[in-house]
Amino acid sequence: ILISSPLGKQGLFYKQYQLGFGSNKAADNLLCIQAPTWEVNPTVPAATFVASYLKDPNVFFTEFGAEFSDRTRGWIKSPADLFACVDPGLQMRTSAAPRQPHFMGLDVALVGDYTAVAIGHNDPDGNVVLDYIGRIQAGDDNFPDQERLDFDDVADWIADLAHRKFYIAEGIFDQWAGIPMEQALHKRGLKQLKSVHHTRQLSSQMFQNFQNMMLDKKLILFDTPEEGEEHSAYLRELLELQAEYVSKYIVKVEAPNIEGKHDDFADALVRMVWCATLNCDKQNSFAGVSSPRGGISRFGRQPMRRPKGGSHPSRQITNKRRR
């Protein structure tokens, strides 16, 4: 007897299912029944089915509907869900208000692919707002004569964004780049950027978090397409991502295995949203500043000097009491 909820169309269980419903002699002594839970188990209340379907239709049809699923499918099932998070009036920013905490996601590649960065912040309503997304590659306009980037090239680019344009409170990148990348960033005073070991489970959680935020309309994105394109490159990339269902609760998300397709924008964006989500409950102030526009200092109500933006020590507010 083999009894199970079906998942992907592979493995011993699926082979036995095909054999059982086949017309050859090997199926003569096999009884194969495919039936949804509501037909064979009347003790399960209808509310359970409704709740499961609303939570995740894919899990519902395999767990309760007895349907085998395609192992690989589009990650974002409805483009309308993604575009519902786009603010038509929002534009990509090249800098931000002084001392406003931002979060950074990085996807590092030195040869054969792009290195991408996404920067965003939490707004007062609990939304994650995308401010900036960009990427560089050996051979592009920034590095026309290079066949590959080195860690210093990437670190210089990130340092320019973090020291001059955005105050980066925290950022993460894949441990694939590891110690050399971390050292290059730390030499430039960017110790808030850390490598994280992206296990299959953690990566799945990050993408699920992004998807949940998207469906809850807690993301605010911009769409500024290049000439001749309908949407921004990062939005087109998100819509092309494929999801491979490794198990019922672990999903591997990546670009289609087709030349010219990438997932660097997506990886950087998902990591930024993960960082921002983990920090959403923290006070949106640092070094005694209650607002990026100034206001109440740690010493009470008094005029505050507006600092320049960025994360460099020369751009930070001193803690000395005004005399």
Side-chain angles (χ1 to χ4, degrees):
I1 296 175
L2 297 177
I3 182 169
S4 176
S5 299
L7 187 59
K9 295 178 180 179
Q10 70 281 317
L12 175 63
F13 189 73
Y14 183 64
K15 289 180 180 178
Q16 293 296 311
Y17 161 82
Q18 287 184 305
L19 189 62
F21 279 103
S23 58
N24 55 53
K25 287 190 175 295
D28 287 349
N29 294 321
L30 293 178
L31 172 63
C32 189
I33 298 173
Q34 183 181 28
T37 304
W38 53 85
E39 289 185 2
V40 296
N41 187 358
T43 65
V44 179
T48 299
F49 299 135
V50 173
S52 176
Y53 178 81
L54 293 175
K55 183 177 180 181
D56 191 325
N58 294 309
V59 172
F60 169 79
F61 282 115
T62 56
E63 184 65 25
F64 294 108
E67 294 183 9
F68 285 93
S69 66
D70 293 321
R71 186 178 177 89
T72 301
R73 64 182 69 142
W75 177 56
I76 294 180
K77 302 170 185 65
S78 172
D81 292 331
L82 179 63
F83 291 118
C85 297
V86 172
D87 181 348
L90 188 65
Q91 298 289 319
M92 185 166 77
R93 303 171 69 179
T94 56
S95 62
R99 297 292 291 173
Q100 182 180 12
H102 283 72
F103 305 95
M104 178 181 286
L106 277 167
D107 183 52
V108 180
L110 303 180
V111 62
D113 206 348
Y114 291 96
T115 288
V117 61
I119 299 173
H121 70 277
N122 291 314
D123 74 4
D125 297 321
N127 303 306
V128 177
V129 183
L130 176 64
D131 293 291
Y132 173 90
I133 191 165
R135 61 187 180 186
I136 56 175
Q137 184 185 39
D140 66 10
D141 292 340
N142 296 310
F143 306 94
D145 301 321
Q146 294 182 221
E147 294 184 359
R148 61 171 292 148
L149 301 178
D150 59 37
F151 290 115
D152 286 331
D153 293 326
V154 176
D156 286 340
W157 178 51
I158 299 304
D160 181 66
L161 289 169
H163 287 328
R164 299 176 182 275
K165 300 173 181 178
F166 297 93
Y167 174 54
I168 305 300
E170 186 177 318
I172 60 173
F173 55 93
D174 192 348
Q175 203 173 32
W176 174 87
I179 295 176
M181 188 71 238
E182 207 165 48
Q183 289 176 338
L185 292 169
H186 287 187
K187 281 195 303 184
R188 291 157 178 80
L190 298 173
K191 295 185 178 181
Q192 70 272 43
L193 302 182
K194 298 178 172 62
S195 65
V196 174
H197 180 43
H198 282 59
T199 62
R200 180 175 287 179
Q201 182 176 9
L202 178 60
S203 294
S204 179
Q205 289 173 344
M206 287 184 177
F207 276 94
Q208 187 61 54
N209 174 70
F210 182 95
Q211 197 169 65
N212 289 342
M213 296 285 284
M214 176 187 70
L215 295 175
D216 289 341
K217 297 182 176 58
K218 301 298 288 183
L219 299 176
I220 301 179
L221 310 173
F222 54 79
D223 188 3
T224 51
E226 302 86 349
E227 186 176 354
E229 298 289 350
E230 187 176 359
H231 298 291
S232 294
Y234 83 94
L235 293 173
R236 300 197 307 271
E237 185 177 291
L238 285 170
L239 292 173
E240 292 174 348
L241 292 177
Q242 298 292 300
E244 178 183 348
Y245 289 79
V246 179
S247 69
K248 190 181 300 183
Y249 300 108
I250 296 183
V251 181
K252 180 181 179 182
V253 182
E254 57 186 9
N257 188 21
I258 302 173
E259 185 176 355
K261 300 300 183 181
H262 303 275
D263 51 20
D264 43 88
F265 272 147
D267 286 341
L269 179 58
V270 165
R271 291 166 189 172
M272 181 278 288
V273 172
W274 178 258
C275 264
T277 304
L278 293 179
N279 285 272
C280 66
D281 293 329
K282 294 183 180 179
Q283 184 180 2
N284 192 23
S285 64
F286 288 78
V289 183
S290 62
S291 165
R293 295 188 175 89
I296 304 174
S297 76
R298 65 165 66 187
F299 300 110
R301 292 188 177 274
Q302 40 188 303
M304 295 183 65
R305 175 167 51 87
R306 279 182 69 93
K308 299 178 181 179
S311 308
H312 192 272
S314 66
R315 295 171 175 264
Q316 308 302 310
I317 296 177
T318 61
N319 292 328
K320 294 181 181 179
R321 183 194 299 266
R322 290 182 178 271
R323 298 182 182 278

